[in-house]
């Protein structure tokens, strides 16, 4: 009987502890924020999304502000409307004053150029070579000690995510041009035809000032259709046995792509 009573008291104590945790303001705030992000992002797998979000938040005190910022930015793709609200939250985190673990080392929040570029490097480091990243940084980078406003942060971060996706698409394209074999080299004449087509498509709006932006995008989409590219390849076949490796192909495409990225001034 005494053992049963102890068991009941133990269970009651656990229930009390659970209630105490649930009623904590920080717990309610965490759950509320998670639900709001779930509604905003509308992921295909909501339970997995919540699990990843809560995991990132539970370990946030152990992570520096760069990783916390990156976790927020990676919650949703850049092309979804909710990415804009995530950008605001990310900017708030990355602009926090430096801390020694107990209290801020200074009281003035703000994002400096060197902290901003460290974040950009984290977004791009797994995909770009140093030379390609340097070219991109010349466009969207800032001086080390200057303050970075939100509009510059938004532009730079978005450019990085767009560039990474573009790079992935180019890698897949090269595999297609090399007959679907990652170990094979693609024909140079085929690669150069695709590169030239891409370059002409990007300059479409500039060479046709009468076209609206929407019309230019539609025309560009038409010109990059697989059957149109295949037709151009048939007309310009000049195979002499030369090949182009993936790095050269990616670099040439990215050089054309980055020309359309506006330089931060």
């Amino acid at each position: 009987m005494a053992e049963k009573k102890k068991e009941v008291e133990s269970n009651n104590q656990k229930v009390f502890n659970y209630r105490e945790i649930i009623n904590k303001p920080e717990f309610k705030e965490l759950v509320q924020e998670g639900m709001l992000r779930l509604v905003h992002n509308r992921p295909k797998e909501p339970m997995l999304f919540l699990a990843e979000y809560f995991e990132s938040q539970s370990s946030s005190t152990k992570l520096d502000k760069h990783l916390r910022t990156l976790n927020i930015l990676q919650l949703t793709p850049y092309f979804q409307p909710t990415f804009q609200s995530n950008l605001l939250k990310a900017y708030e985190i990355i602009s926090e004053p430096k801390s020694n673990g107990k209290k801020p080392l200074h009281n003035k929040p703000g994002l400096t150029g060197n902290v901003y570029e460290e974040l950009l490097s984290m977004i791009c480091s797994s995909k770009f070579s140093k030379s390609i990243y340097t070219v991109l940084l010349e466009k969207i980078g800032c001086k080390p000690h200057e303050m970075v406003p939100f509009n510059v942060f938004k532009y730079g971060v978005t450019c990085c995510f767009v560039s990474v996706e573009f790079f992935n698409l180019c890698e897949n394209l090269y595999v297609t041009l090399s007959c679907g074999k990652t170990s094979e080299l693609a024909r140079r004449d085929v690669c150069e035809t695709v590169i030239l087509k891409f370059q002409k498509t990007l300059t479409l709006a500039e060479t046709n000032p009468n076209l609206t932006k929407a019309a230019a995008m539609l025309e560009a989409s038409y010109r990059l259709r697989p059957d149109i590219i295949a037709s151009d390849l048939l007309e310009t076949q000049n195979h002499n046995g030369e090949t182009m490796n993936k790095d050269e192909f990616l670099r040439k495409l990215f050089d054309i792509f980055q020309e359309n990225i506006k330089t931060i001034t």
Side-chain angles (χ1 to χ4, degrees):
M1 194 69 179
E3 292 180 359
K4 186 69 174 178
K5 185 177 180 181
K6 287 182 180 180
E7 184 179 348
V8 171
E9 290 177 351
S10 177
N11 290 336
N12 290 337
Q13 183 63 35
K14 288 180 180 179
V15 171
F16 175 78
N17 290 338
Y18 292 151
R19 288 177 178 172
E20 186 179 8
I21 294 173
I22 292 173
N23 288 328
K24 286 185 176 181
E26 56 267 30
F27 179 85
K28 292 181 178 179
E29 183 180 349
L30 177 65
V31 173
Q32 183 181 16
E33 182 69 17
M35 293 298 106
L36 285 174
R37 294 196 175 277
L38 180 66
V39 172
H40 286 163
N41 290 281
R42 298 182 181 179
K44 293 181 179 179
E45 299 183 20
M47 297 304 293
L48 179 60
F49 175 87
L50 282 175
E52 291 177 348
Y53 174 75
F54 288 137
E55 182 179 1
S56 69
Q57 294 302 300
S58 65
S59 58
S60 63
T61 54
K62 301 176 183 178
L63 301 176
D64 65 16
K65 61 181 180 181
H66 290 82
L67 289 175
R68 290 163 56 205
T69 301
L70 191 60
N71 285 338
I72 293 295
L73 292 172
Q74 291 176 335
L75 282 174
T76 184
Y78 72 88
F79 50 81
Q80 289 190 4
T82 50
F83 183 72
Q84 303 306 311
S85 61
N86 290 348
L87 276 170
L88 287 168
K89 180 65 176 178
Y91 184 74
E92 180 183 330
I93 293 173
I94 200 71
S95 301
E96 291 175 354
K98 290 183 179 180
S99 172
N100 61 6
K102 295 181 180 180
K103 59 182 180 180
L105 298 177
H106 59 80
N107 295 322
K108 295 182 179 179
L111 175 60
T112 57
N114 56 350
V115 175
Y116 163 72
E117 290 191 0
E118 286 172 7
L119 176 65
L120 299 185
S121 177
M122 292 174 68
I123 296 172
C124 301
S125 60
S126 63
K127 182 57 60 177
F128 296 152
S129 64
K130 185 176 181 180
S131 60
I132 288 180
Y133 175 66
T134 300
V135 171
L136 179 61
L137 199 60
E138 288 175 356
K139 294 276 189 174
I140 61 176
C142 294
K143 295 179 181 178
H145 300 294
E146 71 174 314
M147 301 305 294
V148 181
F150 174 72
N151 63 320
V152 172
F153 170 80
K154 174 183 175 180
Y155 178 75
V157 168
T158 304
C159 280
C160 282
F161 279 109
V162 172
S163 299
V164 168
E165 184 181 24
F166 173 76
F167 209 77
N168 288 333
L169 291 172
C170 291
E171 284 185 326
N172 293 335
L173 177 58
Y174 184 82
V175 172
T176 301
L177 296 179
S178 58
C179 302
K181 299 178 181 178
T182 55
S183 60
E184 294 289 333
L185 293 175
R187 286 169 43 179
R188 178 169 290 274
D189 61 323
V190 173
C191 290
E192 288 179 345
T193 300
V194 172
I195 292 170
L196 181 60
K197 193 74 175 179
F198 177 69
Q199 185 175 30
K200 288 182 177 179
T201 301
L202 282 185
T203 57
L204 186 62
E206 297 176 7
T207 56
N208 296 273
N210 293 328
L211 282 177
T212 64
K213 185 175 181 180
M217 291 176 66
L218 286 173
E219 180 65 21
S221 299
Y222 174 79
R223 293 189 182 191
L224 288 175
R225 281 170 48 192
D227 57 324
I228 299 295
I229 294 178
S231 176
D232 289 346
L233 291 175
L234 289 173
E235 292 176 4
T236 60
Q237 278 206 25
N238 185 26
H239 185 42
N240 53 11
E242 293 185 7
T243 59
M244 182 181 293
N245 62 43
K246 185 174 74 170
D247 290 340
E248 182 183 357
F249 179 74
L250 295 177
R251 182 57 191 261
K252 286 188 173 183
L253 281 176
F254 193 82
D255 284 345
I256 298 169
F257 173 79
Q258 63 88 20
E259 288 177 1
N260 291 268
I261 297 177
K262 293 181 180 180
T263 301
I264 292 176
T265 55

